[in-house]
């Protein structure tokens, strides 16, 4: 589903190499490692959001859900339908799914609110719905649980369990219960930087 081979991200003063790995289809893989070990860097490389060296083979469409939700200064609903709109898909086909996702994550009452004026946890849930709404093949979730209360984490767990038959998830989280409830595979990062090898 996702194959990484000789992957390396070059920053100004150091290089960050990643061990070869195959992320399996329809499995939930957790990327583990300490702060600064390269989890976000890996996810951004998989989403093609940063430059890298080496090979990333991806079979399907990917969305990256960032550590801090970035929403437009519009209503929650406008944010959620954005991926549908830009793909020129028929929004009416997605009404039921939007209702369902919003109900599971308990954000239905926020649809007409301005997305900048809701809480951090609520923003994360909106952002997650936006990243799954158009049925991508692979969803990368970068620390989705950070701002969520325990009940919301359980709700997100339920949603991911429902979706994993059609979506492959790669997730970073430090919430042990969330990990225990969902983990199929794990990929560990040791933060094996190679310093001062690059002159740029
Ligand atoms: N654009 C960048 N330029 C230089 N260093 C960076 C950049 N992005 C991340 N880093 C560094 O790379 C390391 C890994 O960062 P990151 O992938 O965000 O870690 P994690 O998500 O595991 O906490 C950190 O030491 C971070 O400071
Ligand atoms: Mg990170």
């Amino acid at each position: 589903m996702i194959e990484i081979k000789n992957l390396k991200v070059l920053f100004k003063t150091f290089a960050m190499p990643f061990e070869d790995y195959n992320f399996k289809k329809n499995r939930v893989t957790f990327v583990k490692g300490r702060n600064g070990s390269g989890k976000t860097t890996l996810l951004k490389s998989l989403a093609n959001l940063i430059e890298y060296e080496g090979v990333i083979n991806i079979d399907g469409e990917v969305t990256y859900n960032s550590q801090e939700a970035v929403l437009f200064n519009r209503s929650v609903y406008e944010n959620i339908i954005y991926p549908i709109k830009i793909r020129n898909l028929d929004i009416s086909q997605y009404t039921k799914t939007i209702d369902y996702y919003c109900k599971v994550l308990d954000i239905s009452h926020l649809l007409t609110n301005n997305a900048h004026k809701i809480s951090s946890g609520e923003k994360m849930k909106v952002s997650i719905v936006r990243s799954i709404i158009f049925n991508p093949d692979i969803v990368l979730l970068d620390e989705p649980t950070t701002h969520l209360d325990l009940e919301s984490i359980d709700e997100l767990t339920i949603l991911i369990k429902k979706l994993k038959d059609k979506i492959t998830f790669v997730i970073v989280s430090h919430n042990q219960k969330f990990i225990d409830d969902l983990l199929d595979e794990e990929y560990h990062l040791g933060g094996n930087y190679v310093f001062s090898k690059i002159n740029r």
Side-chain angles (χ1 to χ4, degrees):
M1 192 75 197
I2 309 174
E3 181 192 26
I4 58 177
K5 230 175 175 178
N6 303 320
L7 175 64
K8 194 191 275 181
V9 174
L10 304 180
F11 292 125
K12 274 208 178 90
T13 55
F14 64 98
M16 192 182 287
F18 293 93
E19 264 183 54
D20 293 357
Y21 193 72
N22 282 312
F23 294 85
K24 296 193 183 80
K25 193 178 161 97
N26 302 120
R27 306 283 277 171
V28 179
T29 303
F30 278 90
V31 176
K32 294 185 171 177
R34 301 202 56 186
N35 299 136
S37 61
K39 302 180 297 297
T40 295
T41 304
L42 173 67
L43 262 49
K44 284 185 176 169
S45 317
L46 300 180
N48 212 8
L49 294 171
I50 54 172
E51 274 185 56
Y52 58 84
E53 284 187 355
V55 179
I56 300 180
N57 285 320
I58 294 200
D59 182 12
E61 198 170 8
V62 183
T63 58
Y64 169 70
N65 191 75
S66 62
Q67 234 166 311
E68 297 298 331
V70 183
L71 301 176
F72 305 115
N73 187 15
R74 292 276 170 85
S75 72
V76 165
Y77 179 74
E78 285 289 333
N79 272 274
I80 289 174
I81 63 166
Y82 183 74
I84 304 171
K85 252 178 153 172
I86 58 167
R87 286 172 178 76
N88 284 321
L89 300 168
D90 179 3
I91 292 168
S92 67
Q93 299 286 316
Y94 292 83
T95 311
K96 272 194 187 147
T97 315
I98 294 171
D99 286 351
Y100 171 66
Y101 291 167
C102 290
K103 205 171 158 206
V104 177
L105 294 183
D106 192 27
I107 52 169
S108 307
H109 58 293
L110 298 174
L111 283 171
T112 57
N113 290 35
N114 182 291
H116 282 184
K117 293 178 183 159
I118 57 177
S119 78
S120 303
E122 289 169 339
K123 281 181 187 163
M124 178 52 76
K125 297 190 214 181
V126 172
S127 170
I128 291 169
V129 172
R130 185 178 60 183
S131 62
I132 57 176
I133 193 62
F134 67 100
N135 302 317
D137 304 285
I138 300 148
V139 172
L140 314 172
L141 300 177
D142 199 349
E143 305 208 18
T145 51
T146 307
H147 298 291
L148 300 191
D149 59 59
L150 298 179
E151 213 176 326
S152 298
I153 293 173
D154 285 342
E155 288 159 0
L156 178 60
T157 303
I158 289 168
L159 188 60
I160 293 173
K161 277 189 178 162
K162 285 229 154 76
L163 292 173
K164 68 179 255 199
D165 286 344
K166 42 180 191 167
I167 296 180
T168 299
F169 286 93
V170 179
I171 308 177
V172 176
S173 173
H174 299 288
N175 184 291
Q176 197 55 49
K177 181 164 188 293
F178 183 65
I179 296 171
D180 290 342
D181 286 346
L182 286 170
L183 181 138
D184 295 316
E185 313 283 337
E186 49 193 312
Y187 178 64
H188 286 264
L189 299 183
N192 308 315
Y193 308 152
V194 183
F195 287 97
S196 62
K197 285 259 169 80
I198 315 161
N199 294 313
R200 294 206 272 182

